[in-house]
Amino acid sequence: MKIGIVCYPTFGGSGVVATELGINLARKGNEVHFITYERPARLDSFMGNVFFHEVLPFKYSLFKYTPYETTLAGRMVDVVLNEKLDLLHVHYAIPHAAVAFMAKSILKSKGIDIPVITTLHGTDITLVGKDPALSPVIEFSINNSDGVSAVSNFLKKATLENFNISTEIDVIYNFIDFNKFKKTDKEHFKKAIAPNGEKILTHISNFRSVKRAEDAVYIFQKVYEDIPSKLLMIGDGPERSKLEKICRDIGLCHEIRFLGKQGAIEELLSISDLFLLPSSNESFGLAALEAMALEVPVISTNVGGIPEVNFDGETGYLSEVGDVDDMARNAKKILSTPENHASFRKRALQKAQEFDVDVIVPQYESLYEKALNKVKALV
Ligand code: GMT
């Protein structure tokens, strides 16, 4: 099959899922075409049947705002026509699902019926999607997609509650490619970060307010009172300066390292002892799943889709949003003895294996088949 994938090319969850999906579909013999404004961050090695079509900004003095949506639609039409694509899969509703509707309509006027699949990832529904300026567009785009998936039961429910939806929504969880996410021996690396055998706590996010990354720092502060430890803050985003200031204010700069955006996070997770995900909302929590795949137990909040991946008292612990005391208590519980820590590690890996790429990618393929049959039946 020839598949076009439209996504945000960043390290954000939707971009990561879209890219890993494309890579795995290509491994299965499909031809995959990424259409976006930059080469996707996780698309880091060459594959003969993976293509990248850059959407260049069209600048003109009359335009106050560059019309990205229009150029994206044009590029989608161009790629479908010239590469003879069978299907378009867009990730994140805004603007991709809306633009897909425009591309699909243009193609229809040229006698081509292309199925459009939309995957909802989270903030496109729970945050951005709530804006009255955007919600009618999101509702319309979802209802006019030929196949729709949401990354958790929570997100499906939230979509049905917030919008008037007439299309079926399949729940397809985020997944893990264990060929990439396998534990590697990084002892030298661990020694450099924690030379005296300190425990390594890790937080990975885009440092947006929904991530409550400051709670990760405060949890660490409390754990540090009892257990020699270090905190790795991985990623970058609008709250970074505020977080660095908090670290200075609490006098723990020397124990907390900001590593910025990282490509090979599996290497950093390989040396981590505990993962912190204190988000105020999270439709699934891909970062938690990636940690669990590397045997790292998760201290998280109990919101959104997180309870569908992190299980209280088994793979980690779940607490109310903002309850830093409880999260720190739970972190210390997991680290209390090597045996306890080891059993959490083992269960985290076992749970992550349920989200193996070989289990999840076929669910997307079934969704594609359904959409192709639906469009064929309409012709
Ligand atoms: O806000 C983010 O974390 C990025 C965002 C995205 O869409 O790029 O991530 C969302 O999609 C991920 C992949 O499906 C999910 O695992 C994340 O939970 C979700 N983030 C939120 O809901 C906040």
Side-chain angles (χ1 to χ4, degrees), residues 69-70 73-74 77 97-108:
E69 283 83 349
T70 316
V77 169
V99 175
F101 177 75
M102 191 196 282
K104 186 179 164 85
S105 308
I106 296 169
L107 287 159
K108 202 169 175 57

Side-chain angles (χ1 to χ4, degrees), residues 139-371:
E139 184 176 282
F140 178 86
S141 316
I142 293 173
N143 286 335
N144 282 282
S145 296
D146 302 296
V148 180
S149 70
V151 298
S152 62
N153 286 304
F154 157 79
L155 188 61
K156 174 176 176 174
K157 191 163 170 273
T159 309
L160 296 175
E161 279 167 7
N162 288 316
F163 302 96
N164 194 359
I165 298 298
S166 54
T167 310
E168 193 188 334
I169 300 179
D170 287 18
V171 172
I172 305 182
Y173 285 132
N174 289 174
F175 58 88
I176 279 288
D177 182 349
F178 281 91
N179 291 315
K180 184 177 163 84
F181 279 81
K182 56 174 176 258
K183 224 170 154 67
T184 44
D185 181 15
K186 293 279 162 202
E187 264 322 294
H188 60 291
F189 192 19
K190 187 164 184 142
K191 269 235 143 7
I193 289 173
N196 303 308
E198 295 92 341
K199 295 292 175 201
I200 300 180
L201 279 61
T202 301
H203 171 77
I204 304 176
S205 78
N206 46 28
F207 297 176
R208 283 193 261 137
S209 63
V210 69
K211 300 292 176 182
R212 295 186 65 99
E214 69 278 16
D215 284 359
V217 175
Y218 293 130
I219 296 165
F220 172 73
Q221 182 186 22
K222 289 178 188 295
V223 171
Y224 182 82
E225 284 166 9
D226 293 328
I227 301 175
S229 40
K230 302 277 182 184
L231 175 64
L232 296 183
M233 296 289 282
I234 302 168
D236 216 331
E239 309 245 299
R240 164 107 179 233
S241 318
K242 181 180 119 185
L243 293 164
E244 285 174 334
K245 182 172 182 311
I246 294 174
C247 296
R248 283 193 291 275
D249 290 348
I250 62 175
L252 284 177
C253 281
H254 54 300
E255 310 292 17
I256 302 174
R257 289 176 77 148
F258 285 82
L259 299 182
K261 290 179 184 162
Q262 294 283 332
I265 56 157
E266 62 279 9
E267 294 183 359
L268 293 158
L269 290 169
S270 281
I271 62 161
S272 300
D273 293 297
L274 213 52
F275 188 76
L276 307 177
L277 186 70
S279 308
S280 62
N281 202 353
E282 201 68 62
S283 66
F284 179 86
L286 177 61
L289 176 59
E290 291 183 334
M292 287 160 56
L294 284 158
E295 301 172 39
V296 185
V298 175
I299 293 297
S300 71
T301 48
N302 55 9
V303 291
I306 299 178
E308 295 176 54
V309 59
N310 186 25
F311 288 75
D312 199 49
E314 286 181 42
T315 59
Y317 284 103
L318 292 93
S319 306
E320 297 295 323
V321 173
D323 195 345
V324 167
D325 288 337
D326 194 47
M327 289 187 255
R329 237 187 336 266
N330 289 336
K332 289 188 241 180
K333 242 194 271 179
I334 293 178
L335 299 173
S336 61
T337 64
E339 296 72 29
N340 199 33
H341 191 198
S343 56
F344 272 92
R345 277 189 180 283
K346 192 169 150 210
R347 287 190 298 262
L349 172 62
Q350 280 167 349
K351 179 52 72 180
Q353 281 162 342
E354 293 176 18
F355 300 88
D356 190 301
V357 65
D358 292 336
V359 175
I360 306 294
V361 170
Q363 298 175 16
Y364 279 112
E365 291 174 308
S366 308
L367 183 60
Y368 293 175
E369 280 306 320
K370 262 199 289 181

